[in-house]
């Protein structure tokens, strides 16, 4: 393995559940452990933390944390991790500031261990917007505020790896909208890897760079977010109803009179992102012209036409060609993949439509996406739409 990777090979049984996984992930960015409840995501995270030891080998960068064959096992308190649980689990007898300093004291107790200080205390407090909360008691905080404090405490233990176990699952929608922009900022600023457990495709599409897709204690697929979500053969594992594609787009203009923002879809090439010349209109986005966003467009929000439609209320008509058609004989539906100048969209249509339109791979088609399909997504404080669109980088960066 590369010293710039986390490498995990873990196996074992807990009651009737059996885990057998092997994967590698970079030592930077966000890797989502994604899959349905009960598939083993949290067990993997706990194994990495040393809290639920199973057989196998675990190496983080240059350091071997576990190797059963060689009798190596680092105890949990010696592993340089920050752990954020579903519940914030703050110390209610301590102020917010004292909760944060608990993380620092934990790091200082690691005798002879290096302190990987990617952010200073002041930077963590500023990045998570914690300054106004420092003197408050945890029991008076909102759910989103409590989780921000929990993240700050984990970061101030100066970890080599940040583990996050469904940190938004206990929050309502408003609290999620409050905290997600802070998570976006962490993604951009941290130089350490984040392993993020979730069964929510919206969270994963917004926050993650890589996916480890799990099912029944096994690895089903790994890879970049956009590539895994594009795969039609993974429908049962990724969830057919919420299935969709993740694409990048660049803000081109704001049409204030109509409360719309026009974006150019981008294709990811070996030379970086390039404009495809195809455009989408969304409800107004709080982002600068030239800024790049990440969009998740659900397959059920995309229709197909074999000719460019006229006299239609749908504003977003994208030209492309079919690259894949997968029919599900047990249902009325078919999954399709459309290439639009190097970017790809998924569309769920009926098997009857495939037959009546005589659709075949390679056929030119037009993909129709209603602007209204983006309605109801609150504009996040960090910019972009939630859950449809999110910032990826600064203008022309």
């Amino acid at each position: 393995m590369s010293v710039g990777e986390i490498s995990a090979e873990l196996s074992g049984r807990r009651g009737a559940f059996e885990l057998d996984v092997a994967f590698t992930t970079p030592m930077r960015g966000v890797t989502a452990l994604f899959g349905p409840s009960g598939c083993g995501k949290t067990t993997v995270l706990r194994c990495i933390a040393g809290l639920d030891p199973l057989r196998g080998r675990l190496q983080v960068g240059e350091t071997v944390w576990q190797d059963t064959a060689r009798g190596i096992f680092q105890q949990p308190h010696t592993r340089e991790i920050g752990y954020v649980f579903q519940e914030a689990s703050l110390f209610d007898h301590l102020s917010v500031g004292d909760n944060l300093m608990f993380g620092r004291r934990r790091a200082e107790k690691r005798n002879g261990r290096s302190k990987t200080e990617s952010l200073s205390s002041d930077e963590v407090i500023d990045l998570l917007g914690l300054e106004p909360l420092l003197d408050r008691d945890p029991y008076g905080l909102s759910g989103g505020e409590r989780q921000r404090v929990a993240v700050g405490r984990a970061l101030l233990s100066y970890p080599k790896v940040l583990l996050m176990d469904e940190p938004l699952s206990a929050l309502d929608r408003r609290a999620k909208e409050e905290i997600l922009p802070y998570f976006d900022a962490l993604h951009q600023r941290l130089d350490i890897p984040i392993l993020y457990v979730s069964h929510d495709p919206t969270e994963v599409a917004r926050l993650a760079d890589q996916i480890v897709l799990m099912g029944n204690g096994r690895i089903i697929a790994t890879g970049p977010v956009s590539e895994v979500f594009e795969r039609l053969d993974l429908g049962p594992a990724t969830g057919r109803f919420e299935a969709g594609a993740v694409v990048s787009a660049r803000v081109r203009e704001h049409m204030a009179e109509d409360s719309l923002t026009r974006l150019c879809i981008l294709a990811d090439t070996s030379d970086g992102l390039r404009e495809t010349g195809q455009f989408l209109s969304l409800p107004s986005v709080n982002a600068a012209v030239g800024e790049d966003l990440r969009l998740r467009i659900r397959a059920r929000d995309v229709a197909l036409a074999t000719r460019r439609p006229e006299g239609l209320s749908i504003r977003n008509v994208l030209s492309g060609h079919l690259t894949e058609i997968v029919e599900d004989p047990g249902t009325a539906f078919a999954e399709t993949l459309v290439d639009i100048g190097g970017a790809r969209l998924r569309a769920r249509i009926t098997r009857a439509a495939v037959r009546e339109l005589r659709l075949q791979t390679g056929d030119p088609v037009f993909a129709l996406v209603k602007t209204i399909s983006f309605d109801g997504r609150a504009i996040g404080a960090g910019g972009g739409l939630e859950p449809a669109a999110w910032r990826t980088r600064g203008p022309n960066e």
Side-chain angles (χ1 to χ4, degrees):
M1 64 162 279
S2 166
V3 295
E5 292 180 333
I6 298 171
S7 174
E9 299 176 24
L10 304 164
S11 63
R13 182 179 291 275
R14 287 289 181 267
F17 178 76
E18 184 178 2
L19 184 79
D20 188 0
V21 299
F23 65 91
T24 61
T25 187
M27 283 290 286
R28 194 177 190 281
V30 179
T31 297
L33 300 177
F34 177 64
S37 297
C39 71
K41 306 182 298 295
T42 294
T43 301
V44 171
L45 218 62
R46 289 178 59 84
C47 286
I48 292 171
L51 299 174
D52 196 2
L54 297 177
R55 298 186 308 274
R57 190 176 190 279
L58 174 64
Q59 183 168 341
V60 178
E62 298 178 342
T63 307
V64 176
W65 285 5
Q66 176 181 341
D67 190 333
T68 304
R70 296 164 57 195
I72 297 173
F73 184 83
Q74 274 196 17
Q75 293 300 317
H77 68 277
T78 67
R79 300 189 183 196
E80 293 178 282
I81 62 165
Y83 206 129
V84 181
F85 297 89
Q86 294 180 30
E87 299 288 345
S89 301
L90 301 179
F91 301 117
D92 284 338
H93 65 289
L94 299 178
S95 69
V96 167
D98 288 338
N99 267 277
L100 294 174
M101 290 307 102
F102 180 87
R104 171 182 278 182
R105 288 193 296 272
R106 179 178 180 272
E108 292 171 349
K109 288 180 180 178
R110 295 192 194 105
N111 296 325
R113 300 187 66 79
S114 63
K115 186 170 72 172
T116 55
E117 189 172 343
S118 60
L119 294 173
S120 70
S121 300
D122 289 343
E123 287 175 316
V124 169
I125 290 169
D126 180 64
L127 193 61
L128 292 169
L130 299 177
E131 178 69 33
L133 309 179
L134 294 179
D135 295 327
R136 292 178 58 181
D137 295 323
Y139 60 78
L141 303 179
S142 70
E145 289 170 337
R146 289 177 65 88
Q147 282 297 65
R148 281 156 51 198
V149 176
V151 173
R153 184 176 63 183
L155 289 176
L156 288 178
S157 68
Y158 304 120
K160 281 188 175 178
V161 183
L162 181 61
L163 308 177
M164 306 184 79
D165 187 3
E166 302 205 56
L168 304 182
S169 64
L171 304 180
D172 60 24
R173 176 168 176 150
R174 178 174 293 182
K176 287 183 181 181
E177 291 168 0
E178 170 199 320
I179 197 173
L180 276 167
Y182 294 101
F183 280 21
D184 286 335
L186 286 176
H187 187 181
Q188 299 299 319
R189 291 286 300 279
L190 288 182
D191 289 326
I192 62 172
I194 300 174
L195 296 182
Y196 189 98
V197 165
S198 179
H199 62 272
D200 185 338
T202 295
E203 287 179 32
V204 171
R206 174 166 183 164
L207 297 172
D209 304 295
Q210 304 282 325
I211 293 182
V212 176
L213 179 62
M214 295 184 62
N216 297 319
R218 302 292 190 273
I219 303 295
I220 298 173
T222 62
V225 170
S226 57
E227 291 182 9
V228 172
F229 278 150
E230 283 170 9
R231 287 181 52 179
L232 304 186
D233 61 315
L234 299 178
T238 56
R240 285 191 174 92
F241 186 73
E242 287 296 327
V246 177
V247 300
S248 296
R250 182 165 295 152
V251 177
R252 274 288 158 247
E253 64 175 318
H254 296 291
M255 297 172 282
E257 182 178 354
D258 296 319
S259 298
L260 296 173
T261 296
R262 190 166 182 258
L263 304 98
C264 182
I265 294 177
L266 305 173
D268 195 357
T269 71
S270 57
D271 297 323
L273 296 173
R274 64 167 178 80
E275 296 191 2
T276 62
Q278 306 226 45
F279 295 86
L280 282 171
S281 293
L282 276 64
S284 291
V285 175
N286 179 24
V289 171
E291 189 166 359
D292 292 351
L293 306 178
R294 183 189 289 184
L295 315 176
R296 187 172 78 91
I297 302 174
R298 294 176 300 190
R300 60 189 172 98
D301 291 332
V302 180
L304 298 181
T306 55
R307 294 188 296 272
R308 180 177 288 276
E310 298 180 355
L312 196 68
S313 64
I314 296 178
R315 301 291 87 190
N316 300 314
V317 180
L318 309 168
S319 61
H321 63 275
L322 285 168
T323 61
E324 196 171 350
I325 303 172
V326 176
E327 297 191 44
D328 185 348
T331 73
F333 301 105
E335 300 285 343
T336 68
L337 192 64
V338 183
D339 185 291
I340 47 173
R344 285 164 293 279
L345 291 181
R346 291 180 64 165
R348 180 178 297 115
I349 60 177
T350 63
R351 294 166 58 208
V354 173
R355 182 178 66 254
E356 291 167 11
L357 295 175
R358 299 179 181 178
L359 296 177
Q360 298 181 32
T361 56
D363 284 353
V365 292
F366 294 91
L368 286 60
V369 187
K370 285 186 175 183
T371 300
I372 200 171
S373 68
F374 296 100
D375 282 358
R377 278 69 163 178
I379 296 179
L385 293 176
E386 204 296 303
W390 310 283
R391 271 189 174 87
T392 56
R393 53 185 62 79
N396 296 323
E397 186 170 283

Coordinates of all heavy atoms in Angstrom, one line a residue, residues 272-329:
G272 N -8.7 18.2 -15.9 CA -9.6 19.0 -15.0 C -11.0 19.2 -15.5 O -11.3 18.6 -16.5
L273 N -11.7 20.0 -14.9 CA -13.1 20.3 -15.3 C -13.1 21.2 -16.5 O -12.4 22.2 -16.6 CB -13.9 21.0 -14.2 CG -14.1 20.1 -12.9 CD1 -14.7 21.0 -11.8 CD2 -14.9 18.9 -13.2
R274 N -14.0 20.8 -17.5 CA -14.1 21.7 -18.7 C -15.6 21.9 -19.0 O -16.5 21.0 -18.6 CB -13.5 21.1 -19.9 CG -14.1 19.7 -20.4 CD -13.6 19.3 -21.8 NE -14.2 18.1 -22.2 CZ -15.4 17.9 -22.6 NH1 -16.2 18.9 -22.8 NH2 -15.9 16.7 -23.0
E275 N -16.0 23.0 -19.5 CA -17.4 23.3 -19.8 C -17.9 22.5 -21.0 O -17.2 22.3 -22.0 CB -17.5 24.8 -20.1 CG -17.2 25.7 -18.9 CD -17.6 27.1 -19.1 OE1 -18.2 27.4 -20.1 OE2 -17.4 27.9 -18.1
T276 N -19.1 22.0 -20.9 CA -19.7 21.2 -21.9 C -20.5 22.0 -22.9 O -20.9 21.5 -24.0 CB -20.6 20.1 -21.3 OG1 -21.7 20.8 -20.7 CG2 -19.9 19.2 -20.3
G277 N -20.8 23.3 -22.6 CA -21.7 24.1 -23.4 C -23.1 23.8 -23.2 O -24.0 24.3 -24.0
Q278 N -23.5 23.0 -22.2 CA -24.9 22.7 -21.9 C -25.2 23.4 -20.6 O -24.4 23.4 -19.7 CB -25.1 21.2 -21.8 CG -24.6 20.5 -23.1 CD -25.6 19.5 -23.6 OE1 -26.8 19.8 -23.6 NE2 -25.2 18.3 -23.9
F279 N -26.5 23.9 -20.5 CA -26.8 24.8 -19.4 C -28.0 24.3 -18.6 O -28.9 23.6 -19.2 CB -27.1 26.2 -19.9 CG -25.8 26.8 -20.5 CD1 -25.5 26.6 -21.8 CD2 -25.0 27.6 -19.7 CE1 -24.4 27.2 -22.3 CE2 -23.9 28.2 -20.2 CZ -23.5 28.0 -21.6
L280 N -28.0 24.6 -17.3 CA -29.2 24.3 -16.4 C -29.6 25.6 -15.8 O -28.8 26.5 -15.5 CB -28.8 23.4 -15.3 CG -28.7 21.9 -15.6 CD1 -28.1 21.1 -14.4 CD2 -30.1 21.3 -16.0
S281 N -30.9 25.8 -15.6 CA -31.5 26.9 -14.8 C -32.0 26.3 -13.5 O -32.8 25.4 -13.5 CB -32.6 27.6 -15.6 OG -32.1 28.2 -16.7
L282 N -31.6 26.9 -12.4 CA -32.0 26.5 -11.1 C -32.6 27.7 -10.4 O -32.3 28.9 -10.7 CB -30.8 26.0 -10.2 CG -30.4 24.6 -10.4 CD1 -29.9 24.3 -11.8 CD2 -29.3 24.3 -9.3
P283 N -33.4 27.5 -9.3 CA -33.8 28.6 -8.5 C -32.6 29.3 -8.0 O -31.5 28.7 -7.8 CB -34.6 28.0 -7.4 CG -35.2 26.7 -8.0 CD -34.1 26.3 -8.9
S284 N -32.6 30.6 -7.7 CA -31.5 31.4 -7.4 C -30.5 30.7 -6.4 O -31.0 30.2 -5.3 CB -31.9 32.8 -6.8 OG -32.5 33.5 -7.8
V285 N -29.3 30.7 -6.7 CA -28.2 30.1 -5.9 C -27.3 31.2 -5.4 O -26.9 32.2 -6.1 CB -27.4 29.2 -6.8 CG1 -26.2 28.6 -6.0 CG2 -28.3 28.0 -7.3
N286 N -27.0 31.1 -4.1 CA -26.1 32.1 -3.4 C -24.7 31.7 -3.7 O -24.0 31.1 -2.9 CB -26.4 32.1 -1.9 CG -25.5 33.1 -1.2 OD1 -25.0 34.1 -1.8 ND2 -25.2 32.9 0.1
A287 N -24.2 32.0 -4.9 CA -22.8 31.7 -5.3 C -22.4 32.7 -6.4 O -23.2 33.3 -7.1 CB -22.8 30.3 -5.9
A288 N -21.1 33.0 -6.4 CA -20.6 34.0 -7.4 C -20.5 33.5 -8.8 O -20.4 32.3 -9.0 CB -19.2 34.5 -6.9
V289 N -20.7 34.4 -9.8 CA -20.5 34.0 -11.2 C -19.0 33.5 -11.3 O -18.1 34.1 -10.8 CB -20.7 35.2 -12.1 CG1 -20.3 34.9 -13.5 CG2 -22.2 35.6 -12.0
G290 N -18.9 32.3 -12.0 CA -17.6 31.7 -12.1 C -17.3 30.6 -11.1 O -16.4 29.8 -11.2
E291 N -18.2 30.5 -10.0 CA -18.0 29.5 -9.0 C -18.5 28.2 -9.4 O -19.5 28.1 -10.1 CB -18.7 30.0 -7.7 CG -18.4 29.1 -6.5 CD -18.8 29.8 -5.2 OE1 -19.3 30.9 -5.3 OE2 -18.6 29.2 -4.2
D292 N -17.9 27.1 -9.0 CA -18.3 25.8 -9.4 C -19.1 25.1 -8.2 O -18.7 25.3 -7.1 CB -17.0 24.9 -9.7 CG -16.3 25.3 -10.9 OD1 -16.8 26.2 -11.7 OD2 -15.2 24.8 -11.2
L293 N -20.1 24.4 -8.6 CA -21.0 23.8 -7.7 C -21.1 22.3 -8.0 O -20.8 21.9 -9.2 CB -22.4 24.4 -7.7 CG -22.6 25.9 -7.5 CD1 -24.0 26.3 -7.6 CD2 -22.0 26.3 -6.2
R294 N -21.5 21.5 -7.0 CA -21.8 20.1 -7.3 C -23.3 19.9 -7.2 O -23.9 20.4 -6.3 CB -21.1 19.2 -6.2 CG -21.3 17.7 -6.4 CD -20.8 16.9 -5.3 NE -19.4 16.9 -5.2 CZ -18.7 16.2 -4.2 NH1 -19.3 15.5 -3.4 NH2 -17.4 16.3 -4.2
L295 N -23.9 19.3 -8.2 CA -25.3 19.0 -8.3 C -25.6 17.5 -8.2 O -24.9 16.7 -8.8 CB -25.9 19.5 -9.7 CG -25.4 20.9 -10.2 CD1 -26.1 21.1 -11.6 CD2 -25.9 22.0 -9.2
R296 N -26.6 17.2 -7.5 CA -27.2 15.8 -7.5 C -28.5 15.9 -8.1 O -29.5 16.5 -7.6 CB -27.3 15.2 -6.1 CG -27.6 13.7 -6.2 CD -27.5 13.1 -4.8 NE -28.7 13.4 -4.0 CZ -29.8 12.6 -4.0 NH1 -29.9 11.6 -4.7 NH2 -30.8 13.0 -3.2
I297 N -28.7 15.3 -9.3 CA -29.9 15.2 -10.1 C -30.5 13.8 -10.0 O -29.9 12.9 -10.5 CB -29.7 15.7 -11.5 CG1 -29.1 17.1 -11.5 CG2 -31.0 15.7 -12.3 CD1 -28.7 17.6 -12.9
R298 N -31.7 13.7 -9.4 CA -32.3 12.4 -9.3 C -32.8 11.8 -10.6 O -33.3 12.5 -11.4 CB -33.4 12.5 -8.2 CG -32.9 12.8 -6.8 CD -34.1 13.0 -5.9 NE -35.0 14.1 -6.3 CZ -36.0 14.5 -5.5 NH1 -36.1 14.0 -4.3 NH2 -36.7 15.5 -6.0
A299 N -32.6 10.5 -10.7 CA -33.1 9.8 -11.9 C -34.6 10.0 -12.2 O -35.0 10.1 -13.3 CB -32.7 8.4 -11.9
R300 N -35.3 10.1 -11.1 CA -36.8 10.2 -11.3 C -37.2 11.6 -11.7 O -38.4 11.8 -12.0 CB -37.5 9.8 -10.0 CG -37.2 10.6 -8.8 CD -37.8 9.9 -7.5 NE -37.4 10.5 -6.3 CZ -38.1 11.3 -5.6 NH1 -39.3 11.8 -6.1 NH2 -37.7 11.8 -4.4
D301 N -36.3 12.6 -11.7 CA -36.5 13.9 -12.1 C -36.1 14.2 -13.5 O -36.2 15.3 -14.0 CB -35.8 14.9 -11.2 CG -36.4 15.0 -9.8 OD1 -37.6 14.7 -9.6 OD2 -35.7 15.3 -8.8
V302 N -35.7 13.2 -14.3 CA -35.2 13.3 -15.6 C -36.1 12.5 -16.6 O -36.4 11.3 -16.3 CB -33.7 12.8 -15.8 CG1 -33.2 13.0 -17.2 CG2 -32.8 13.6 -14.8
A303 N -36.6 13.2 -17.6 CA -37.3 12.5 -18.7 C -36.5 12.6 -20.0 O -35.6 13.4 -20.1 CB -38.7 13.2 -18.9
L304 N -36.9 11.7 -20.9 CA -36.1 11.6 -22.2 C -37.1 11.9 -23.4 O -38.2 11.5 -23.3 CB -35.5 10.2 -22.3 CG -34.5 9.8 -21.3 CD1 -33.9 8.4 -21.6 CD2 -33.3 10.8 -21.2
A305 N -36.5 12.4 -24.4 CA -37.2 12.7 -25.7 C -36.3 12.3 -26.8 O -35.0 12.5 -26.7 CB -37.7 14.1 -25.8
T306 N -36.8 11.8 -27.9 CA -36.0 11.5 -29.0 C -35.8 12.7 -30.0 O -35.0 12.6 -30.9 CB -36.6 10.3 -29.8 OG1 -37.9 10.6 -30.1 CG2 -36.5 9.0 -28.9
R307 N -36.7 13.7 -29.8 CA -36.6 14.9 -30.6 C -36.6 16.1 -29.6 O -37.3 16.0 -28.6 CB -37.7 15.0 -31.6 CG -37.7 14.0 -32.7 CD -38.7 14.3 -33.8 NE -40.1 14.2 -33.3 CZ -40.8 13.1 -33.2 NH1 -40.3 11.9 -33.6 NH2 -42.0 13.1 -32.7
R308 N -36.0 17.2 -30.0 CA -36.0 18.4 -29.2 C -37.5 18.9 -29.1 O -38.1 19.2 -30.1 CB -35.1 19.5 -29.7 CG -35.1 20.7 -28.8 CD -34.2 21.8 -29.3 NE -32.8 21.4 -29.1 CZ -32.1 21.6 -28.0 NH1 -32.8 22.2 -26.9 NH2 -30.9 21.3 -27.9
P309 N -38.0 18.9 -27.8 CA -39.4 19.3 -27.7 C -39.6 20.8 -27.9 O -38.7 21.6 -27.7 CB -39.7 18.9 -26.2 CG -38.4 19.0 -25.6 CD -37.4 18.6 -26.6
E310 N -40.8 21.2 -28.3 CA -41.2 22.6 -28.5 C -42.5 22.8 -27.7 O -43.3 21.9 -27.4 CB -41.5 22.9 -30.0 CG -40.2 22.7 -30.9 CD -40.5 23.0 -32.3 OE1 -41.7 23.2 -32.7 OE2 -39.5 22.9 -33.1
G311 N -42.7 24.1 -27.4 CA -43.9 24.4 -26.7 C -44.0 23.8 -25.3 O -45.1 23.3 -24.9
L312 N -42.9 23.7 -24.6 CA -42.8 23.0 -23.4 C -42.4 23.9 -22.2 O -41.6 24.8 -22.4 CB -41.7 21.9 -23.5 CG -41.7 20.7 -22.5 CD1 -43.0 19.9 -22.7 CD2 -40.4 19.9 -22.7
S313 N -43.0 23.7 -21.1 CA -42.6 24.6 -19.9 C -41.3 24.2 -19.3 O -40.7 25.0 -18.6 CB -43.7 24.5 -18.8 OG -43.8 23.2 -18.3
I314 N -40.8 23.0 -19.5 CA -39.5 22.6 -19.0 C -38.4 23.4 -19.6 O -38.2 23.5 -20.8 CB -39.3 21.1 -19.2 CG1 -40.3 20.3 -18.4 CG2 -37.9 20.7 -18.7 CD1 -40.2 18.8 -18.6
R315 N -37.6 24.1 -18.7 CA -36.5 25.0 -19.2 C -35.2 24.2 -19.5 O -34.4 24.7 -20.3 CB -36.2 26.0 -18.1 CG -37.4 26.9 -17.7 CD -37.8 27.9 -18.9 NE -38.7 27.2 -19.8 CZ -39.1 27.8 -21.0 NH1 -38.6 28.9 -21.4 NH2 -40.0 27.1 -21.7
N316 N -35.0 23.1 -18.8 CA -33.7 22.5 -19.0 C -33.8 21.3 -20.0 O -34.3 20.2 -19.6 CB -33.2 21.9 -17.6 CG -33.1 23.1 -16.6 OD1 -32.5 24.1 -16.9 ND2 -33.6 22.9 -15.4
V317 N -33.3 21.5 -21.2 CA -33.3 20.5 -22.2 C -31.8 20.3 -22.6 O -31.2 21.2 -23.2 CB -34.1 20.9 -23.4 CG1 -34.1 19.8 -24.5 CG2 -35.6 21.2 -23.0
L318 N -31.3 19.1 -22.3 CA -29.9 18.8 -22.6 C -29.7 17.7 -23.6 O -30.4 16.7 -23.6 CB -29.2 18.3 -21.3 CG -29.5 19.2 -20.0 CD1 -29.0 18.5 -18.8 CD2 -28.7 20.5 -20.2
S319 N -28.9 18.0 -24.6 CA -28.7 17.0 -25.7 C -27.6 16.0 -25.3 O -26.5 16.4 -24.7 CB -28.4 17.7 -27.0 OG -27.2 18.4 -26.9
G320 N -27.8 14.8 -25.7 CA -26.7 13.7 -25.4 C -27.0 12.5 -26.1 O -27.8 12.4 -27.1
H321 N -26.5 11.4 -25.7 CA -26.8 10.1 -26.2 C -26.8 9.0 -25.1 O -26.1 9.1 -24.1 CB -25.7 9.7 -27.3 CG -24.3 9.5 -26.8 ND1 -23.5 10.6 -26.7 CD2 -23.7 8.4 -26.4 CE1 -22.3 10.2 -26.2 NE2 -22.4 8.8 -26.1
L322 N -27.6 8.0 -25.4 CA -27.7 6.9 -24.4 C -26.4 6.0 -24.4 O -26.0 5.6 -25.5 CB -28.9 6.0 -24.8 CG -30.3 6.6 -24.5 CD1 -31.4 5.8 -25.1 CD2 -30.5 6.7 -22.9
T323 N -25.9 5.8 -23.2 CA -24.7 4.9 -23.1 C -25.1 3.6 -22.4 O -24.3 2.6 -22.5 CB -23.6 5.6 -22.3 OG1 -24.1 5.9 -21.0 CG2 -23.2 6.9 -23.0
E324 N -26.3 3.5 -21.7 CA -26.6 2.3 -21.1 C -28.1 2.3 -20.8 O -28.7 3.3 -20.5 CB -25.9 2.2 -19.7 CG -25.8 0.8 -19.1 CD -24.9 0.8 -17.9 OE1 -24.1 1.7 -17.7 OE2 -24.9 -0.3 -17.2
I325 N -28.7 1.1 -21.0 CA -30.1 0.9 -20.6 C -30.2 -0.4 -19.9 O -29.8 -1.5 -20.4 CB -31.0 0.8 -21.9 CG1 -30.9 2.1 -22.8 CG2 -32.5 0.6 -21.5 CD1 -31.6 1.9 -24.1
V326 N -30.8 -0.4 -18.7 CA -30.9 -1.6 -17.9 C -32.4 -1.7 -17.5 O -32.9 -0.9 -16.7 CB -30.1 -1.6 -16.6 CG1 -30.3 -2.8 -15.7 CG2 -28.6 -1.5 -17.0
E327 N -33.1 -2.7 -18.0 CA -34.5 -2.9 -17.7 C -34.6 -3.9 -16.5 O -33.8 -4.8 -16.4 CB -35.2 -3.5 -18.9 CG -35.3 -2.6 -20.1 CD -36.2 -3.0 -21.1 OE1 -37.3 -3.5 -20.8 OE2 -35.8 -3.0 -22.3
D328 N -35.6 -3.6 -15.6 CA -35.8 -4.5 -14.5 C -37.1 -5.2 -14.7 O -38.2 -4.7 -14.6 CB -36.0 -3.6 -13.2 CG -36.1 -4.4 -11.9 OD1 -36.3 -5.7 -12.1 OD2 -36.0 -3.9 -10.8
P329 N -37.0 -6.5 -15.1 CA -38.2 -7.3 -15.5 C -39.2 -7.4 -14.4 O -40.4 -7.6 -14.6 CB -37.6 -8.7 -15.8 CG -36.2 -8.4 -16.1 CD -35.8 -7.3 -15.2

